[in-house]
Amino acid sequence: MTPPRTRRRAGGQGATPAHNLPRRGAVRRAQAITTYGIGSLVAVDHESFVVSGLDEADRSWSNAESPRIYERRLARLLDVDYFRLPPASEDTSRDGLRVRRFPLMHSCPECTELQPHRLFNPPSGRSVCGTCEVDLVPSRFVVACEAGHLDEFPYWQWVHRSPDRGSDTAGRCGGKLRLRSSGRTSSLRSILVSCTCERAPEVSMEGSFRKSALKDLRLKCRGTRPWLGTSAPAQECGLPLRTLQRGSSSVWQPVLKSALSIPPWSHGRADPLAEHWDALRQIDNPDHIEFYLKGAFRGECPVALEEVMALLEAEREEDPDTENAPSFDHRYRALRSKEYERLRSGNDESEHSREEQFVCETPLGNQEVLGPLGVTGPMLVKKLREVRALKAFTRLVDAESTTDAKEMPLSEAPLRWLPAMEVHGEGVFLRLSEDRLAAWEAAPAVAARAERMRTAHQRVLDERADDPSRVVLSPATPRMVLLHTLAHILINEWSLEAGYPAASLRERLYSGDDMAGMLIYTATSDSAGSLGGLVAQGEPDTLDRTVRSALHRAAWCSADPLCMETDASSVSGNLAACHACVMLPETSCEHNNVLLDRALLVGAPEDPSLGFFGRVLGH
């Protein structure tokens, strides 16, 4: 990671100016999407930075260290032409992820002064007090709003209890701010802020995290976006501000979207056409398409005309079936539906070349052994490719339950690309019997229990929405909760039986009126995933033993009876689910461990019929 350069250095005649930027630590490439993405705060030793936006990335990201990747279905969903891997910097690299110092407010533990970093007069390239020569401490506190803006904590107003807002924290009273710790406790009460003007008493930071703490000072969001630098002027926002710890997970949450590479896009031959699809979709006549391609490629197109026509037809098949302009959710459901169809139908390896990135085959064993479980259609996904793209990010609100209005873009100017990760792996796909599932869903007790979960979850979504007309609807249905919980117990079981770390396995749910399946796979960017171990678990006899063992394990939790008898959580909507039984690492779950219930799997003591698999356990 490198801070942006402060001035342009002269280079040789006609040469590109050398950056010579100082390096400040390193993060893994995958973390640049999931943990330390654009707009997030990164702690490096005793310093703190915010990852800069993408406006300068076309110049600073080397094509060799940040190559383009293509996934047409996902690119179309996100309205971009292509994706780029975050830069993988070597020791000889002269650039990488750009960062900016934030927060700017620092304190010196020796002289206790609290002021912007530059006023300490630190030596070039160091973050130390110019007088005391000790390491400066970045402000532990920042403020943010639900629209995604980020700002410094208003220490001056907090000390003076003044509603006035200005850009200079010390110029209105002639004094200087100071920050010290009394050392009596580890709470906020021991963090004391004062001003040398002596017009205000020394105050503690206690109470600064209350929802109305800054509202009481009549402070509202100014719309600041420090990750975009001075090129992004503040725009008045006006939303309430919340105080956050600099390292809190609420400061930054990624909005990630992903897609599997499925035929006819999974062989990579369509990549040269990435920037031409919008134009090609406007042309129906094959002769006109051929003429366009000859002009676009100045000669022979690298993709045969027949294959281009087949790709266009496949893309039109994925168009949402709606008369009005399809929403993002409609298009994303259409993407998932197409994946579900392809996972059901398979894609035999023997029929394709080695470049094929999606291989899905029917297991050789007798699938009838799965009939008593209500499980059907297992498929062995021997090879898969997933592209995960960072679409935007949020602050304070859950990225899974937010609307576009609360998503903060990654750049000031619109770009035709997004940062993304390309991961390869293997997996097992299975479905539930539609007939048995329909009969189970129709049971009044099942519908009532799922409705309790949906109501609790919807209440949270309603409270988070600033516009009642844009409230996100809870996806809780008996089918979705059942599939979600079953996926979790299978991941836990395979982590024990097959030797996979739970964090290296991931779920992908297909729940809808015409879908009832799940894909559990090992799409990771490390070596934990494509050695064939998970595919071997999909053979019918092995899968039968795994499902039965997982169900027996889920029938009892070390936190029972409290876990089984709990009411729906006001935050997650969960019922019988906790970290001792079915919850997973965040990297494994699509829904952040929300909407889980063991009772819909195995039944409850007072009503065994609640469980879809109740008869398997002999209830």
Side-chain angles (χ1 to χ4, degrees), residues 127-160:
S127 181
V128 299
C129 178
T131 302
C132 308
E133 296 187 353
V134 297
D135 292 336
L136 296 174
V137 179
S139 170
R140 287 174 51 186
F141 311 105
V142 296
V143 295
C145 77
E146 290 190 354
H149 300 114
L150 185 67
D151 206 349
E152 306 276 350
F153 182 83
Y155 287 103
W156 193 91
Q157 292 87 343
W158 184 254
V159 172
H160 294 82

Side-chain angles (χ1 to χ4, degrees), residues 523-545:
T524 63
S525 56
D526 59 21
S527 60
S530 37
L531 303 176
L534 185 58
V535 166
Q537 302 298 316
E539 289 294 340
D541 290 338
T542 305
L543 186 59
D544 176 64
R545 292 194 301 271

Side-chain angles (χ1 to χ4, degrees), residues 280-353:
L280 291 172
R281 279 179 62 90
Q282 307 302 318
I283 309 173
D284 294 327
N285 191 306
D287 294 334
H288 293 171
I289 290 178
E290 185 177 19
F291 180 78
Y292 172 87
L293 292 174
K294 286 183 177 180
F297 290 94
R298 298 182 180 181
E300 190 68 24
C301 176
V303 186
L305 178 62
E306 294 77 10
E307 192 166 357
V308 173
M309 299 302 298
L311 291 169
L312 285 170
E313 180 60 28
E315 184 167 287
R316 293 188 178 101
E317 288 180 2
E318 205 163 315
D319 289 338
D321 187 15
T322 176
E323 297 180 358
N324 302 321
S327 66
F328 183 88
D329 290 339
H330 278 104
R331 290 183 287 132
Y332 197 49
R333 282 197 293 270
L335 179 147
R336 285 295 185 99
S337 179
K338 203 67 177 178
E339 290 179 2
Y340 183 73
E341 293 177 11
R342 176 53 67 176
L343 286 165
R344 289 188 61 174
S345 59
N347 193 41
D348 197 304
E349 184 176 19
S350 62
E351 301 175 2
H352 302 279
S353 66

Side-chain angles (χ1 to χ4, degrees), residues 24 49 81 135 141 204 226 229 268 386 421 436 446 509 531 580:
R24 292 288 190 271
F49 302 94
D81 294 330
D135 292 336
F141 311 105
S204 74
E386 182 191 26
M421 279 299 299
R436 183 167 163 183
V446 171
L509 304 180
L531 303 176

Side-chain angles (χ1 to χ4, degrees), residues 11-29:
Q13 293 182 356
T16 302
H19 297 320
N20 295 328
L21 300 173
R23 299 176 69 90
R24 292 288 190 271
V27 297
R28 296 193 304 273
R29 178 176 262 172

